[in-house]
Amino acid sequence: MEKIQFNHEVSISRIVQGFWRLHQWNLDAKQLVDFMHQCVDLGVTSFDTAEVYGNYNSEALLGEALSLDPSLRSKIEIITKTGINKPHPDRPYRNKYFDTTYDKIIQSCNESLQKLNTLYIDVYLIHREDPLIDHAEVARAFNDLKQMGKIKAYGVSNFDPFKFEALHEHTSKQLVTNQIEISPLQFEHFNSGMLDLLQKHRIHPMIWSPLAGGAIFNSDTHEACSLRKVLKPMADKYQCEVDTLVYAWLLHHPVKAAVISGSQKIERLQNCVNALQINLEREDWFEIYLASGQQVLR
Ligand SMILES: NC(=O)c1ccc[n+]([C@@H]2O[C@H](COP(=O)([O-])OP(=O)(O)OC[C@H]3O[C@@H](n4cnc5c(N)ncnc54)[C@H](OP(=O)(O)O)[C@@H]3O)[C@@H](O)[C@H]2O)c1
């Protein structure tokens, strides 16, 4: 499996397994251990989660698996995120809001380490843009956590180019990624210039909801129907599954992104891994880019 080097301490697998939906899969710890081993056997060693996933419980599910099979920890990389506060019986928040203050980041990281049953987090991300972000404060928290050995690398998620650049400056250009949504139904980061900024800094994004959360297959919108009309015959041409073609489209971009698969089915993760072997023709890439009707060429 191809790796993406984030810094001198961390590289992640180009294909990542996401655990946003883990709480819906009804796996016990043993079944989760088996699933994680199957991922590792495919070369997918990097696992994405967040403090807030599964109503603050997903990290703990992963932690139970890691405590059942401690041999897993040295074979994998854990990516997790902080900064979202949501109402929960055990938490004092009245509403959803974002908190990227120094104390919150430090406390949240300590809690994640405990729940994940690990001594370190490989990649630690600010989950969402916080309109009240103090870049110097976030940079200090990240830097202190790294000095303490609690995180090995850090970055952000869902940042626009201006906010990314501002924090990147304050961290002495130590941000290693921006985890962003891209799919043939979601073009925000093409249009914002985010992909160009990341290329300028030689930073590789991580792509979430690469299949638009399944909408590529099951949405009845005009955009999704138009897209499917292009994807199905093209998948036949490349002799691959439709999802493999979509992953190949994402991997083709010179920004060299990692792709996070969100499926609970190992055969669908295999479809994602298979995309690394497909070389899309440039004209076909554009056909997919234009298929939903959301993008135009100027
Ligand atoms: N940073 C952020 O703000 C953020 C936000 C959202 C997600 N993420 C990360 O990105 C990961 C991936 O996101 P995602 O789960 O939305 O990714 P996705 O891969 O676009 O969507 C996964 C969903 O699509 C379904 N699916 C896959 N193939 C299908 C097919 N052939 N037909 C019908 N349905 C199909 C899956 O169902 P099955 O399980 O049944 O295959 C699953 O429900 C998450 O797990 C999380 O780690 C990050």
Side-chain angles (χ1 to χ4, degrees), residues 18-21 48 53 81 127-128 157-158 179 208-214 217-218 247 260-265 268:
F19 284 121
W20 179 29
R21 303 169 194 273
D48 183 73
Y53 286 176
K81 321 182 191 78
H127 202 149
R128 293 251 165 210
S157 181
N158 303 303
Q179 189 178 117
W208 63 264
S209 289
L211 305 175
F217 299 97
N218 50 35
Y247 294 127
I260 316 174
S261 168
S263 174
Q264 63 179 308
K265 300 189 171 78
R268 287 183 173 165

Side-chain angles (χ1 to χ4, degrees), residues 30 45 73 78 95 118 142 173 184 191 199 259 265 269:
K30 168 77 174 69
T45 57
R73 184 64 189 98
I78 298 175
N95 300 297
T118 184
F142 273 157
K173 298 197 161 60
N191 299 337
Q199 274 201 78
V259 168
K265 300 189 171 78
L269 185 62

